[in-house]
Amino acid sequence: MRSKLESLLPYSLLAPTLLFVTLLIVIPIFQAFLLAFQSADGSFTLAHFQKMAADTSFGDALKFTFLLLIFIVPLQVVLALMMALLIHTRFKGHTFFLYIYAIPLAISDLAAGIAWLAIFTERGYLNSILNQLGILEKPFLFLSYQNLPAMFGTIVIAESWRATAIVMTILLAGLQLIPRDYFEAADVFGANTLKRTLFVVLPLLRPSLQNALIIRTIFAFQTFSVVFALAGRVIPVMAGESYNWYVTNRNPGVAAAYAVLILIFTVAATWFYFKFLKTSAAEAGYD
Amino acid sequence: MAGIHFQTVRKIFGKTTVIKDVSLDIHDGEFMVLLGPSGCGKTTLLRCLAGLERVDGGRVLIGERDVTDLAPRDRKIAMVFQSYAVFPHLTVFDNIAFGLKMQNLPSEEIKRRTHQGAELLQLTDYLKRYPAQLSGGQRQRVAVARAIVMQAAVLLMDEPLSNLDALLRLQMRAELKRLHAEIKATTIYVTHDQIEALSLGDRIAVMQDGKIVQCDVPMNIYDYPANKFIGGFIGTPPMNFLQGAVNGDGSVSVGASNIAPASSLQAAFAARNGQPILLGIRPENLTLASAQQANTISAHVLVVEPLGSHKLLTMQVGAEMIKVSVAPDQSIASNQDVWLHFDPEKIRWMDAASGEAIR
Amino acid sequence: MKKFLLVALVLGIILVACVPAPTATPVPAPTKAPEPTKAAVPTTAPAPATSAPAATKAPEPTKAPEPTKAPAPTTAPAAAGPLVFVSTQNTPVEEQEKMRNVILKDFTAAKADFISDAEGVIVDRILAEQKSGKVSASLIGVLHGTFPNLLAANALEDLTPLVPKLSDRPIVKEFMTLGKLGTDKQYYIPWMQATYVMVANKKALQYLPANAKIDSLTYQQLAEWGKNITAATKEKKIGFPAGPTGLMHRLTQGYLYPSYTGGLVTTYRSDDAVKMWTDFKAIWEYTNPQSVTYNNMQDPLLSEEVWVTIDHTARVVNAFKNKPNDFVSAPAPAGPKGRYYMSVLAGLGIAKGAPNKAGAEALIEYLTRPNIQAIYLREVSFYPVLESALPTDLPEYVRLEADGVVKQSKASDAKVALLPIGLGAKGGDFNKVMQDTLTRIVIKGEDIKTVLNDQANQLNALMTELKAPCWSPDPPSTGACQAK
């Protein structure tokens, strides 16, 4: 009797999570697929996908989503790694910087977008400061559709600011899992900071790096509030188009088609990371 | 090659001073064991030498070089960690070669020395494996090999055998001794295991509470512990202690009997008339006597443990318990009352209050 | 003829029900419905607009000894339970606060609980409550275009008995007619209205083209004006709300297209349309490229990134509020076919089976009082629906903005454009055609004729799918409205 109850315990502990995942993730995904592939009369259709692909912004949305991915993900991982390594040295006052770094985590992406808009706009903080310092005579138009690289750059900066902290948190947690002995061994055996990072820290951090990359890439596919605030419709991204189709154009079918496309890309990216960043059991140190 | 000199080294963690102005000179090529219970500061002292801890006072010298402010990589040392710290993402070969690669040596030399090190520790067959595919003992050997191939003047070992099972530990102990004889690097070896210390050390520095309480060759540490703590810490079973009081004639009464101290100590005892004193004696320095005679005390046998090479007896003397080691063929049974003979030359007398040996 | 147009109008406004208000932005929720004033009903004769007759000798409604402390209106017996008032208007947090703490403060007949959210949320709630039979929301305050949806679901009470009780206030008759939704019963009572106006920084006035007057500007003169400003300041200081939640597409639909082509759908790729886009490109030459990020124009006006703009009254009012001495309001420019403008009407209805019908009726009576309508104008920049003149004791900033609104409706060449009709849920797609056209022509610089042709084809496909006939100012059609 007792063993039977005990065998049920793990399942009962998992049940709440399972319930939430089912209610909030599995069912909505299923519904999104239904929306994407169903016509108004309930029959199977690819019309939503055709409409999505024929849309003026579709090509741009694909292009800019991947461009953002290519710029943001590596930049953020490098930045986050540097921040995590810095915090991990536990220098005096490192907790202060940890809190500073973590601030963007607490700010919604829309609020972040508005804050950065206030910085980059023509009479914004940045131009005002540059003007006061005498560097600029006339405000520089960062957010002009005629200067796409500048506009894109502001998005990269704002997105990096916003989401680097989450990557840093993952990497810092990973770093703290690595026994200090490995770092000390590297020190004793003659590695300087750079070599220690390259030959010891990074390889040992690989599982965390993989997680961080996956999470960051998924987030990058979902980015849009910041892009909306800074670039309006000039730089469309896939998640933003999905939002537009649902909220502004009131067309759930096309919105769901975008969602399905994003899901496909996300799964593909995750598979890619698993395949090419995989740590063998032996290397990972498991028996 | 290089000697090592600690000069009034101090280390403070928060409000606790864990190394209290320790000075210690280690000779070139010497195998020095830092021995003490956990928390005595022995590992911290080693880490101060490695540069993994920054000292808060005093200097550390390797040879003529003051290394106090140098980073670990600039101290020209090698180290075996208690956890081995063998890198899980590198093969055995790459692990052993790690330090050599960091020095940017030519790859031919790296190869040669790595193979040499692997051979010395019987790892040649495992060079392509990852640490997770090795046994604990093999991993430990990888850690040692990685340190040895550095050919550093100074080799540090932090409880390298503590994670091995008893049999392996015995084996590796002898192997380490052989290795030291071969490479002759100045070695500092931290352990809490007194047998390892006795077996390996050219000298042993016994640490207690952040200080070195005795530093000497193993047999002196064993025979002439500087205080009650060392006597009780070293030896299996450790030294026996009995309470006594100094009489007017310089003898000591222990229970109903009188024990006469060795003649060389008589002057010291004269001044202690009437004071309590501690008698310390090793189990193997007690002998059974058939009748009362000079320097005997009556005792009651509680337990007899035949251990093959000897018999270990647990006896009651007055209200106190002592251990006695006798020859395996000694006929003795529990519940027997016997006379125990104390050899005055083998007794280590200690001040009852401070525990310091009386010399 | 009149009847047909009215029905068509009502149908068209269904569109509005399908355009959700942007919820994720801190700018005022856009309100979009045509202002079908006297000018709207007979297509040919633009009679003087009624929203604000000359502000002379106002009957001082705000100071009137009318019952401000609502002596429990005749219809209101001690109401049972709270009075839930759901609305798609005044969604921004500041406006909600104004609603609760200022506008509803003196309403004592029941405890009014004001809930404001996006259009979809509110409509879904009302319909779901009807379906389940558990009605909690009593009073419904939504755009004119939302009501046909609710009526179709039989979710509205007949308010005809309430009309005589409101006879003491001069609600614009045409608005009351619209409130019948093409039937002979009154389904909603007009609540408030708004429109789009031009706003200019006074610093810009010196650069007006020599022969131009700000109150009777043309689009070509606007381009010239922009050119002069850029020549003098080296900056592009015209601005448009072309951000992701900006209302630029309304300016295309209700201002630019009708003013140049006299129509919208039928003339979508006409030569007049090509001319319009050519002229608009000329204006865009001197338009701040950051316009693609502007959702409201009051912020860029205040920061002086922009000197001249056209936007919804609720989205520029803060400029007058914060710097009353810096700005003037004026009618939107005119094109070859007249000075078309668009306006917005919201109304109040009662849910079928409302738990607190008496309280809801009392609140309608309260909200349509002249002094409360004046407070509305002062606090949230929505204009009264009453025939009477604007109150004279308006705050300076409201008067400054109202000046342009009045001039716009009274301009000799003023004409009112209607929102698309009969598009239902496809209103978003319709707007997207306008947005994409603008993006391709102005931002990406594609060939005007090619783009208009592409987009007109999309428009035709959409209209065919919906079988929607043309609406004013396009000439009536028998089948689906098509671009020629």
Side-chain angles (χ1 to χ4, degrees):
Chain A
M1 187 64 198
R2 181 161 172 256
S3 72
K4 186 164 185 188
L5 276 179
E6 263 179 21
S7 69
L8 286 176
L9 184 66
Y11 299 101
S12 63
L13 293 177
L14 282 173
T17 314
L18 214 60
L19 189 72
F20 277 116
V21 169
T22 310
L23 280 178
L24 300 177
I25 296 177
V26 178
I27 294 178
I29 286 179
F30 180 72
Q31 285 174 330
F33 270 91
L34 273 187
L35 276 175
F37 290 106
Q38 251 182 357
S39 63
D41 59 12
S43 59
F44 175 84
T45 177
L46 287 174
H48 301 311
F49 284 90
Q50 283 159 353
K51 188 158 188 175
M52 169 180 83
D55 185 57
T56 326
S57 342
F58 178 70
D60 280 349
L62 274 189
K63 182 179 91 186
F64 284 118
T65 303
F66 279 94
L67 267 179
L68 269 181
L69 203 72
I70 289 165
F71 275 86
I72 287 178
V73 174
L75 180 69
Q76 283 196 340
V77 170
V78 171
L79 274 179
L81 188 68
M82 279 160 54
M83 282 154 66
L85 287 172
L86 191 62
I87 297 285
H88 195 60
T89 60
R90 297 178 171 273
F91 63 96
K92 207 172 166 67
H94 69 277
T95 45
F96 173 74
F97 281 92
L98 183 59
Y99 291 134
I100 294 282
Y101 288 159
I103 285 176
L105 281 180
I107 294 176
S108 84
D109 48 352
L110 181 70
I114 291 168
W116 282 99
L117 180 63
I119 291 172
F120 283 121
T121 189
E122 184 182 335
R123 307 276 154 142
Y125 294 113
L126 183 59
N127 272 319
S128 303
I129 290 169
L130 291 177
N131 181 269
Q132 298 239 320
L133 293 177
I135 297 167
L136 280 183
E137 230 173 89
K138 285 266 173 195
F140 180 79
L141 285 183
F142 294 99
L143 304 179
S144 161
Y145 68 92
Q146 290 158 332
N147 190 351
L148 272 185
M151 208 174 202
F152 193 79
T154 61
I155 295 172
V156 170
I157 291 170
E159 263 299 288
S160 301
W161 176 84
R162 190 182 70 78
T164 302
I166 184 80
V167 183
M168 184 207 69
T169 310
I170 297 168
L171 293 183
L172 186 60
L175 273 179
Q176 285 168 346
L177 281 178
I178 302 173
R180 288 193 96 78
D181 282 3
Y182 291 128
F183 298 84
E184 293 181 346
D187 284 346
V188 165
F189 285 103
N192 55 26
T193 311
L194 179 69
K195 282 180 171 176
R196 186 180 73 183
T197 306
L198 286 179
F199 297 124
V200 178
V201 179
L202 281 183
L204 291 175
L205 204 54
R206 202 149 76 167
S208 300
L209 271 172
Q210 181 180 305
N211 288 342
L213 276 171
I214 290 172
I215 287 179
R216 189 58 198 99
T217 304
I218 292 172
F219 278 13
F221 276 116
Q222 294 171 349
T223 305
F224 83 96
S225 293
V226 171
V227 185
F228 249 34
L230 293 174
R233 292 178 208 280
V234 175
I235 295 186
V237 289
M238 288 168 63
E241 284 304 293
S242 180
Y243 174 87
N244 268 341
W245 278 101
Y246 188 81
V247 173
T248 313
N249 306 340
R250 294 222 115 188
N251 193 327
V254 180
Y258 264 110
V260 168
L261 195 62
I262 291 172
L263 181 71
I264 291 169
F265 282 132
T266 308
V267 169
T270 309
W271 175 82
F272 174 84
Y273 288 132
F274 271 122
K275 173 109 178 157
F276 292 98
L277 282 177
K278 196 170 185 300
T279 329
S280 74
E283 284 177 273
Y286 309 116
D287 288 299
Chain B
M1 291 292 145
I4 293 162
H5 311 281
F6 291 100
Q7 297 174 347
T8 60
V9 168
R10 178 182 303 181
K11 177 70 196 171
I12 302 166
F13 286 133
K15 285 177 184 159
T16 322
T17 307
V18 290
I19 303 289
K20 297 170 179 164
D21 299 338
V22 164
S23 294
L24 178 65
D25 294 306
I26 301 164
H27 315 308
D28 182 18
E30 188 175 20
F31 198 119
M32 170 64 83
V33 175
L34 295 179
L35 175 68
S38 58
C40 72
K42 57 189 190 300
T43 295
T44 306
L45 189 62
L46 185 81
R47 290 169 59 84
C48 288
L49 174 57
L52 298 172
E53 303 287 355
R54 204 165 279 224
V55 300
D56 296 304
R59 315 297 303 171
V60 180
L61 280 75
I62 297 178
E64 302 297 306
R65 280 195 311 151
D66 185 339
V67 299
T68 316
D69 299 316
L70 293 184
R73 65 171 179 275
D74 298 324
R75 294 192 177 197
K76 298 195 176 128
I77 51 172
M79 184 164 172
V80 179
F81 289 82
Q82 182 176 7
S83 68
Y84 316 147
V86 170
F87 301 120
H89 61 286
L90 298 179
T91 59
V92 170
F93 181 93
D94 288 334
N95 261 293
I96 297 175
F98 185 85
L100 305 176
K101 284 183 178 168
M102 291 300 118
Q103 294 178 356
N104 293 323
L105 294 178
S107 66
E108 274 311 307
E109 188 180 352
I110 292 176
K111 224 170 177 178
R112 187 178 54 77
R113 280 163 68 172
T114 303
H115 280 286
Q116 211 173 9
E119 207 164 317
L120 208 57
L121 284 141
Q122 294 139 40
L123 289 164
T124 310
D125 295 342
Y126 306 105
L127 284 174
K128 284 181 182 159
R129 293 210 189 165
Y130 285 99
Q133 297 163 317
L134 301 178
S135 71
Q138 287 165 334
R139 260 181 267 180
Q140 204 271 345
R141 291 215 295 273
V142 175
V144 175
R146 178 175 64 182
I148 282 174
V149 295
M150 296 291 286
Q151 298 176 357
V154 174
L155 180 59
L156 312 182
M157 298 199 191
D158 184 9
E159 309 218 18
L161 305 182
S162 62
N163 288 350
L164 300 178
D165 61 48
L167 201 65
L168 260 175
R169 202 180 307 173
L170 210 65
Q171 211 178 315
M172 277 308 294
R173 201 166 74 198
E175 214 163 319
L176 287 180
K177 191 150 189 166
R178 170 182 70 82
L179 271 171
H180 179 248
E182 220 164 298
I183 62 173
K184 297 188 181 68
T186 311
T187 304
I188 310 212
Y189 186 105
V190 165
T191 185
H192 63 270
D193 182 331
Q194 39 102 10
I195 306 228
E196 266 172 36
L198 293 170
S199 135
L200 290 168
D202 290 332
R203 279 195 297 161
I204 298 172
V206 184
M207 291 189 69
Q208 183 192 12
D209 200 16
K211 282 183 267 195
I212 292 178
V213 284
Q214 189 173 13
C215 180
D216 211 333
V217 296
M219 279 326 287
N220 280 351
I221 298 273
Y222 187 81
D223 286 337
Y224 307 107
N227 59 22
K228 186 188 175 196
F229 161 76
I230 300 170
F233 187 68
I234 290 178
T236 320
M239 192 173 250
N240 295 302
F241 295 102
L242 292 170
Q243 303 281 351
V246 180
N247 299 320
D249 63 356
S251 70
V252 178
S253 51
V254 179
S257 303
N258 271 355
I259 308 281
S263 51
S264 59
L265 290 170
Q266 267 162 9
F269 274 70
R272 293 181 173 256
N273 185 7
Q275 286 177 10
I277 199 159
L278 215 51
L279 179 158
I281 190 158
R282 296 265 171 211
E284 66 271 23
N285 293 333
L286 290 160
T287 46
L288 301 184
S290 45
Q292 181 173 19
Q293 47 181 285
N295 299 327
T296 55
I297 297 177
S298 96
H300 179 72
V301 180
L302 292 173
V303 180
V304 178
E305 296 172 82
L307 294 175
S309 62
H310 61 280
K311 272 182 183 164
L312 186 62
L313 315 177
T314 306
M315 294 189 158
Q316 190 168 5
V317 175
E320 294 167 297
M321 232 57 97
I322 63 171
K323 299 275 188 188
V324 179
S325 169
V326 294
D329 54 354
Q330 178 90 45
S331 74
I332 185 99
S334 52
N335 280 327
Q336 215 176 320
D337 286 317
V338 297
W339 291 96
L340 272 178
H341 179 257
F342 290 66
D343 178 354
E345 294 300 324
K346 299 283 187 184
I347 294 173
R348 192 69 165 161
W349 297 99
M350 288 158 191
D351 183 274
S354 69
E356 293 298 323
I358 297 168
R359 273 169 261 208
Chain C
M1 182 67 178
K2 265 187 180 182
K3 175 116 182 174
F4 166 77
L5 276 172
L6 199 61
V7 172
L9 172 68
V10 169
L11 281 173
I13 292 163
I14 295 172
L15 153 77
V16 176
C18 306
V19 181
T23 52
T25 47
V27 292
T31 46
K32 6 184 149 91
E35 177 192 322
T37 59
K38 283 171 187 164
V41 182
T43 41
T44 46
T50 54
S51 57
T56 51
K57 277 185 89 185
E60 302 185 330
T62 45
K63 291 174 202 156
E66 283 175 46
T68 39
K69 286 259 162 73
T74 47
T75 47
L83 168 59
V84 178
F85 177 13
V86 293
S87 170
T88 58
Q89 302 303 296
N90 307 119
T91 320
V93 177
E94 331 66 280
E95 291 188 25
Q96 290 193 29
E97 287 302 299
K98 290 272 173 64
M99 190 70 190
R100 295 190 184 106
N101 300 334
V102 182
I103 296 164
L104 290 175
K105 193 185 68 173
D106 291 328
F107 179 69
T108 50
K111 195 194 161 297
D113 187 4
F114 179 70
I115 296 169
S116 181
D117 211 321
E119 178 129 23
V121 177
I122 295 297
V123 171
D124 285 350
R125 171 175 174 166
I126 295 166
L127 297 184
E129 285 187 358
Q130 289 295 327
K131 221 172 177 179
S132 69
K134 284 182 203 142
V135 180
S136 70
S138 295
L139 188 60
I140 300 167
V142 296
L143 290 180
H144 173 86
T146 309
F147 280 105
N149 259 10
L150 301 178
L151 182 61
N154 198 22
L156 293 174
E157 283 283 355
D158 178 8
L159 299 185
T160 314
L162 185 63
V163 175
K165 291 174 191 159
L166 302 172
S167 57
D168 60 336
R169 56 213 65 181
I171 297 176
V172 177
K173 283 192 187 62
E174 284 72 21
F175 290 173
M176 285 301 278
T177 311
L178 284 172
K180 291 181 177 173
L181 301 178
T183 67
D184 53 359
K185 290 174 184 160
Q186 193 75 33
Y187 283 107
Y188 74 80
I189 306 294
W191 178 16
M192 57 190 185
Q193 57 167 329
T195 186
Y196 299 71
V197 286
M198 185 160 82
V199 181
N201 193 304
K202 284 180 185 164
K203 288 179 193 163
L205 298 180
Q206 56 180 308
Y207 303 113
L208 270 168
N211 53 349
K213 289 195 193 106
I214 189 166
D215 290 340
S216 57
L217 210 63
T218 67
Y219 286 104
Q220 280 174 332
Q221 285 172 330
L222 178 61
E224 218 176 311
W225 190 9
K227 186 180 179 182
N228 294 346
I229 294 172
T230 303
T233 64
K234 304 281 179 290
E235 287 178 37
K236 300 176 172 183
K237 293 184 106 46
I238 296 178
F240 288 102
T245 58
L247 296 173
M248 183 67 215
H249 54 278
R250 292 293 181 227
L251 297 182
T252 315
Q253 291 163 359
Y255 290 74
L256 287 163
Y257 251 105
S259 298
Y260 270 84
T261 70
L264 176 57
V265 177
T266 55
T267 55
Y268 203 78
R269 52 185 157 195
S270 63
D271 291 344
D272 286 342
V274 176
K275 167 76 175 146
M276 183 274 276
W277 285 111
T278 311
D279 281 7
F280 187 68
K281 270 183 93 167
I283 296 171
W284 196 265
E285 281 280 299
Y286 311 107
T287 295
N288 191 323
Q290 288 204 129
S291 285
V292 293
T293 65
Y294 296 151
N295 296 321
N296 70 64
M297 294 311 297
Q298 55 202 8
D299 293 341
L301 278 172
L302 283 167
S303 70
E304 292 196 24
E305 290 175 20
V306 163
W307 274 358
V308 181
T309 188
I310 308 168
D311 201 0
H312 190 282
T313 47
R315 294 181 174 205
V316 286
V317 68
N318 279 353
F320 295 104
K321 203 169 191 169
N322 295 359
K323 292 185 179 170
N325 297 324
D326 287 12
F327 302 103
V328 293
S329 66
K337 297 284 159 66
R339 192 178 306 276
Y340 276 89
Y341 70 96
M342 191 181 263
S343 175
V344 174
L345 176 66
L348 296 163
I350 295 179
K352 195 145 231 168
N356 194 347
K357 187 167 178 236
E361 285 178 354
L363 189 48
I364 291 177
E365 186 278 325
Y366 175 84
L367 288 172
T368 50
R369 285 179 201 169
N371 60 330
I372 301 299
Q373 294 258 306
I375 293 175
Y376 235 94
L377 176 57
R378 191 182 72 211
E379 298 294 340
V380 292
S381 293
F382 277 82
Y383 285 78
V385 289
L386 306 179
E387 296 266 11
S388 46
L390 288 177
T392 50
D393 60 342
L394 285 172
E396 178 74 356
Y397 69 88
V398 179
R399 204 186 51 70
L400 284 168
E401 190 185 66
D403 192 42
V405 174
V406 172
K407 281 179 187 159
Q408 177 166 279
S409 60
K410 294 174 79 72
S412 59
D413 53 352
K415 291 173 187 167
V416 171
L418 300 184
L419 270 179
I421 289 174
L423 303 185
K426 296 288 180 184
D429 287 343
F430 187 82
N431 291 342
K432 188 168 163 52
V433 173
M434 316 294 143
Q435 287 160 356
D436 287 350
T437 308
L438 182 97
T439 303
R440 290 179 64 182
I441 293 177
V442 179
I443 312 251
K444 293 187 174 174
E446 292 181 41
D447 176 61
I448 294 176
K449 279 189 177 160
T450 317
V451 173
L452 288 183
N453 212 26
D454 283 357
Q455 298 292 321
N457 289 342
Q458 286 198 23
L459 206 50
N460 284 350
L462 182 68
M463 301 312 282
T464 308
E465 184 187 340
L466 294 167
K467 300 185 185 71
C470 291
W471 61 86
S472 170
D474 283 317
S477 67
T478 42
C481 196
Q482 295 284 296
K484 286 170 193 154

